[in-house]
Structures are given as C-alpha cells and as structure tokens.
Amino acid sequence: MVIKPKVRGFICTTAHPTGCAKHVQEQIDYVKTKTTTQEGPKNVLVIGCSNGYGLASRITAAFGCKANTLGVMFEKEPSERRTASAGWYNTVALEKAAKAEGLYAESLNTDAFSAEAKDQVIAKIKENMGKVDLIVYSLGAPRRKDPVSGEVYSSTLKPIGQSVTRKNLNTDTREVSEITLEPASEEEIFNTVKVMGGEDWEMWIDALMQADVLAEGVKTTAYTYIGKELTWPIYGGATIGKAKEDLDRASKEINQKLAGALHGASFVSVLKALVTQSSSAIPVMPLYISALYKVMKEQGTHEGCIEQIFGLFTEQLYSASDLNLDNVGRIRMEDNELAANVQEKVAEIWTQVTTDNLDELTDFAGYQAEFFKLFGFGFEDVDYEADVDPVV
Ligand code: NAD
C-alpha cells in the first residue's frame, strides 16, 4: 500500500510505519547523545506510552536509563486495507529498538481505565520485572468507562462560568477567525474531571500497591499543563484545568500512601505546550502553539517532547540535587514558555495575526511539519511513493 496522509479536521487518519519508526529513532538518537551520570529508574510502567509525552518518557527511561519498560496504550491495529494508528507503529519501533539493546519492552493495547488492564499489567510485572520503580501516567483520553459503575463519562473542552470568544486557527483551512465557546454545565465539568482527573491514577497506584509490585523508593508522576492569560480561559481556568487541579489532589493522596513503608513519592509535572494528537484537538491551542514556536525558536529555547522529558528525568526526578518544586509541590518544566518576555511577544502576535499574515507572524509551518511527523509523514529519507505493508 502507498500511504499518504489523510487529514480530517485536527486528526490524520492514516499513519506511515517507516516514518513513525524514524520519529521514534530521532528521539532515541537525541537521548543517546546525552550522557547521564545519575542513577535512573530500572523498571518503568508508562500508562499512555505510545505518543507524545508518554512515548518520550518511555524512550528516556529505556535509552537514557537502560530501564525495562512496560507500556499501556489504546491504539488501532493495522489490517491489509487500513493503516494502524501512529501509536501502534511507534510502539512496534520502540520495542524493536529496546530489544536490540537487550532491554525488556512489552506493551498492552488495552483500555487503561479498566480493571482488566490493571490485572494484566500486574501479571506482566510479576512475570517479567518483579517490581516497578517508576510509574508515568500520561493519558490523553476523550472518555472513560468507570470500572465500578460501568458508566461512560466524556470530557469537554469548555470555559467555566461565562462564554469565551477567542481567536482560533482552523488548521485544515488555515483560517484565523473568532470562535465563541459556551460555558460548561456542572455535569460537563464533573465528567471532564472523571476522565482527565486523578481518580484513575489513584486506582492504578492502589492496585499496584495491593499486588506488592512497587519497589522501595518508587516514584510516580502525572503530566499537566497550566499556561498563562492567553490560554487560561480555555485551558487552566476551563473544564480541562479543573481536571488537572484534581491531579494535584490525587498526587497528595498518593504521596501519603507511597511515603510510608515504600519511601516513595508522587509528583505532578507541569510541561510546556507542544504539538501532540491531544493538544491539536483543543480549540485555540494550535494558534497559541504556532505563535509560541515562533518566539521560542527565535530565542533558541524551543523544546519538543523528548527534550522536556529528558530534562524532567535528569534535572528533577533523578537529579542529584534537591527537587525544585512550586508552592503546590509540582515540578515545573515550562519556565521558558511562561517567561514574561515570551508571553508578551506571543500576546503581541496574537493581537495582530490574521489569515493573511499567519505564515509571517507565526510558525504555523513548524506546527504543521510537527503535526505530520506525529503520523510518520514529512521525513526526508522516507520514500512516500513506495509500496509498504501496513501490517507490522
Ligand atoms: P497524546 O495524545 O500524544 O498521547 C496520549 C496517550 O494516551 C497515547 O499513548 C494513547 O494511546 C493513550 N491513551 C488514550 N486513551 C487511553 C486509554 N483509554 N487506555 C490506554 N491508553 C490510552 O497526548 P499528550 O499530549 O502526550 O498528553 C499526555 C499527557 O501530557 C496528558 O495528561 C496531557 O494533558 C499532558 N500535557 C500535554 C501537553 C501538550 O501540549 N501536549 C502539555 C502539558 C501536559
């Protein structure tokens, strides 16, 4: 099959196996150019391991720390007529590269919110790892079936309290126009917290603790975004922000449980905004990210998933120095994004940007190139006219 990108709105419905493998290899190569002297984790569970920040976490653990990794993902398998989703191909490539280095790497394609997923993971840990010393929680999911009640909750991306009108970029048509988002109902806020809040993270840690598969000194982290004025009404102060606040609550609870006999610890890590399958679905974010990339690339402070996560591991989670936490106890990796001179420049672009000057004022070209790379497209040394087998 000759595989070309097929974009529908903010998603690409095809993925290229060779290109996805290149994307994974690029990140492996980045980690390998760095040397770490610190002790890293040895047996790592990544929940949401196949794309974006979770994939970068797994790559950092495996190729930066020589850790065995077990991953959980929710991806579409390939068939003779249809490509798999990108995360499937990423995971195939990652497992192959890890095994070539003698590392254990296995992945379960299953709904992380279910009780079955937890049972399967525990069985795999017992069989192949003994105990885990790091659990990364990196899910970006639109819905969750509660494993106890069976009820299905959907998350919404809406402001809270009042409607919000903001500039927005339609990444498909390249048009900049205003959109108005109506405020969420109480039920929509509750449902979003159910999906993207900390309840499932706590359930994972409880299940792993009960099964006695957590190592002494175990660490766990979940990822969040906070942002500033420009994105606050649609992220930090909106339904998704409420869910992210719930991660802070969950982290405190988990910390208490882990701090006892296991001498473990739990952290919420705040990461910078960048292009992933999840962020491209959030209104306003693509325009903000395009403007942010322009400013941060000009300043030489731009980072992608792998740079952020490598920094998180080496400068914070496994650094020899003390952790640098904010007043809520979170790890902050997005200082460069939130710096006043960056936010001011982004705000300036924001007031001026139109459909006509989009390419001149923002790095939409960079945004798009990264978006296509998420699906394995746009790599110079991949022959996109070649006939490839989608089933890998
Ligand atoms: P992503 O879309 O790139 O990856 C999401 C992952 O979750 C994939 O591996 C997918 O397979 C997995 N997943 C989704 N539903 C699942 C399910 N039911 N069961 C098992 N696996 C499932 O997302 P991302 O942008 O890397 O986001 C990961 C985390 O990082 C999120 O909590 C997000 O809020 C946070 N974060 C993202 C950004 C950003 O700009 N992208 C910034 C800061 C924090």
Side-chain angles (χ1 to χ4, degrees):
M1 180 193 286
V2 174
I3 304 170
K4 300 278 175 184
K6 271 195 204 140
V7 177
R8 301 268 175 279
F10 49 76
I11 189 86
C12 178
T13 58
T14 52
H16 200 286
T18 323
C20 287
K22 286 266 170 218
H23 197 206
V24 169
Q25 191 60 45
E26 259 187 18
Q27 297 182 63
I28 295 174
D29 292 345
Y30 171 82
V31 168
K32 284 191 166 175
T33 59
K34 308 271 172 185
T35 42
T36 57
T37 47
Q38 300 95 346
E39 274 289 297
K42 293 285 167 266
N43 291 298
V44 179
L45 169 63
V46 182
I47 302 159
C49 67
S50 51
N51 284 307
Y53 277 126
L55 174 64
S57 306
R58 191 174 192 186
I59 290 172
T60 302
F63 301 94
C65 313
K66 302 272 167 244
N68 297 315
T69 58
L70 178 59
V72 182
M73 61 183 181
F74 208 42
E75 299 295 341
K76 194 177 75 189
E77 290 186 30
S79 71
E80 294 299 335
R81 292 183 310 112
R82 261 187 11 177
T83 76
S85 53
W88 176 274
Y89 293 136
N90 291 339
T91 303
V92 170
L94 179 134
E95 285 188 6
K96 196 170 157 203
K99 283 173 191 161
E101 304 216 352
L103 298 168
Y104 167 77
E106 198 173 350
S107 316
L108 298 170
N109 194 23
T110 178
D111 179 9
F113 296 127
S114 68
E116 295 76 29
K118 290 161 181 98
D119 292 342
Q120 284 172 31
V121 160
I122 288 165
K124 287 282 175 202
I125 294 173
K126 286 187 173 163
E127 192 183 324
N128 302 300
M129 298 163 117
K131 295 194 176 199
V132 285
D133 53 2
L134 174 66
I135 301 107
V136 173
Y137 190 83
S138 184
L139 292 183
R143 68 191 64 83
R144 169 177 173 224
K145 183 175 177 183
D146 186 304
V148 181
S149 67
E151 198 164 328
V152 178
Y153 298 93
S154 293
S155 67
T156 20
L157 297 161
K158 287 189 177 177
I160 292 177
Q162 54 192 20
S163 67
V164 168
T165 301
R166 268 275 185 289
K167 265 189 189 169
N168 184 50
L169 167 63
N170 180 328
T171 48
D172 221 3
T173 60
R174 311 169 65 95
E175 269 171 322
V176 178
S177 59
E178 289 206 323
I179 53 158
T180 298
L181 300 166
E182 295 305 326
S185 65
E186 284 304 319
E187 190 186 353
E188 285 173 320
I189 299 170
F190 178 84
N191 291 356
T192 307
V193 174
K194 269 279 187 186
V195 181
M196 288 297 285
E199 189 176 74
D200 181 60
W201 183 24
E202 286 182 276
M203 284 178 155
W204 269 102
I205 301 297
D206 285 344
L208 297 165
M209 256 183 113
Q210 266 169 28
D212 192 23
V213 292
L214 297 181
E216 161 110 28
V218 63
K219 290 178 186 171
T220 184
T221 185
Y223 297 148
T224 193
Y225 179 73
I226 297 178
K228 275 219 167 140
E229 283 87 350
L230 277 173
T231 54
W232 188 257
I234 50 96
Y235 200 106
T239 45
I240 180 75
K242 277 277 168 253
K244 294 298 189 183
E245 260 173 50
D246 190 59
L247 288 179
D248 294 327
R249 176 204 59 75
S251 188
K252 276 201 195 96
E253 299 277 336
I254 294 171
N255 214 11
Q256 275 180 1
K257 290 176 192 169
L258 296 185
L262 286 168
H263 305 294
S266 167
F267 306 97
V268 170
S269 302
V270 192
L271 305 172
K272 87 179 268 276
L274 38 75
V275 188
T276 65
Q277 289 190 39
S278 288
S279 68
S280 58
I282 304 175
V284 183
M285 279 317 255
L287 185 57
Y288 171 76
I289 293 173
S290 301
L292 181 73
Y293 277 20
K294 175 86 172 178
V295 175
M296 293 187 79
K297 282 180 185 176
E298 273 172 11
Q299 293 194 348
T301 54
H302 174 71
E303 286 186 326
C305 285
I306 196 69
E307 290 88 354
Q308 278 273 292
I309 297 298
F310 187 80
L312 172 68
F313 274 52
T314 52
E315 294 157 27
Q316 291 274 5
L317 287 174
Y318 296 97
S319 157
S321 349
D322 286 345
L323 282 161
N324 181 11
L325 303 175
D326 71 8
N327 57 3
V328 181
R330 306 185 201 102
I331 294 174
R332 305 296 294 243
M333 298 304 297
E334 65 348 347
D335 291 353
N336 286 334
E337 173 185 346
L338 299 190
N341 64 345
V342 171
Q343 289 296 313
E344 279 159 20
K345 286 206 170 110
V346 174
E348 220 170 279
I349 293 172
W350 197 267
T351 52
Q352 293 169 20
V353 69
T354 62
T355 306
D356 293 337
N357 62 22
L358 178 70
D359 285 321
E360 191 193 324
L361 294 190
T362 78
D363 183 32
F364 181 54
Y367 177 98
Q368 263 197 321
E370 246 181 64
F371 176 80
F372 281 112
K373 278 174 83 175
L374 296 177
F375 303 92
F377 297 107
F379 289 89
E380 266 178 18
D381 46 354
V382 174
D383 178 1
Y384 291 102
E385 301 305 325
D387 195 7
V388 284
D389 187 355
V391 183
V392 290

